[in-house]
Amino acid sequence: MQRPFLVLNGMHGSGKTTAQIFLSDLGYLTHAEIGWAYRQHLLQQHPEQDTLLGENLAWYDRAIFEMEVARDAFIESFTALPHCCETWHLGNLGYAAQRSPQIVAELEAIFLAQTARLAPVFILLAIERETFLERCTLQTAPPERLYAFYKGLHDIMVAYLERYALPYAVVNNDHSLAELRQAVTDIVLGAERSG
């Protein structure tokens, strides 16, 4: 039985990277968020460039999708291990919807094509406003503005999941690491049983 391809989504501080560690313990090959890595790379060269909340970022959002599609080809060609991606096309579509609405239809078509190819099970990590403000480590904008941006991202992702009836589970991660580990493990086992 082939184990499901998993995608971890959620706002900053919701525990996506921590959940990846738990999934690695379950035998998943985990893939970090491309957008975050690309943002850090660009900031090294241009510290003044705001690729999170800035404007005219269609070039950036397209580049992330192109890198994701390239990684998808690797995932499709290497099925010896089950895979898990952080953010993936769904999260990147949510970012683009807020920063680059003029290319959303183009990126949505890519998201739908890759979803049909890889059949992901989405795990949406959710946290309350207070938890976000406590965990927020970004210094690019006032925390309340960042929360509003990430809350918008969360709502956009849920809207896409619902619109296309995609398989997903929501994990509230305002609590302990043990509870997060148990919730993620339960979702994986449930997806494997129903897959």
Side-chain angles (χ1 to χ4, degrees), residues 37-157:
Y38 189 37
R39 182 177 305 120
Q40 299 314 305
H41 170 74
L42 291 173
L43 286 172
Q44 293 293 318
Q45 300 170 348
H46 305 283
E48 76 289 350
Q49 189 166 37
D50 183 359
T51 54
L52 181 62
L53 303 174
E55 298 177 1
N56 302 315
L57 292 172
W59 62 271
Y60 176 75
D61 290 315
R62 273 194 184 105
I64 293 169
F65 263 76
E66 289 170 9
M67 287 185 268
E68 288 280 11
V69 168
R71 180 169 63 188
D72 290 349
F74 166 75
I75 290 169
E76 282 188 288
S77 69
F78 189 77
T79 57
L81 290 172
H83 296 266
C84 172
C85 280
E86 183 178 337
T87 302
W88 200 60
H89 300 292
L90 174 63
N92 295 323
L93 185 57
Y95 282 115
Q98 297 189 91
R99 303 188 287 231
S100 311
Q102 70 274 23
I103 63 167
V104 165
E106 168 192 335
L107 300 183
E108 185 175 348
I110 295 169
F111 163 66
L112 292 173
Q114 296 306 98
T115 296
R117 292 176 70 103
L118 294 171
V121 172
F122 296 90
I123 300 174
L124 184 60
L125 298 164
I127 53 175
E128 297 297 326
R129 176 185 163 276
E130 294 74 22
T131 306
F132 175 86
L133 295 174
E134 179 182 305
R135 293 179 185 170
C136 183
T137 58
L138 300 174
Q139 299 174 352
T140 56
E144 288 289 350
R145 181 172 179 222
L146 286 168
Y147 175 74
F149 177 81
Y150 280 109
K151 177 68 168 85
L153 174 67
H154 173 90
D155 294 345
I156 290 165
M157 290 187 295

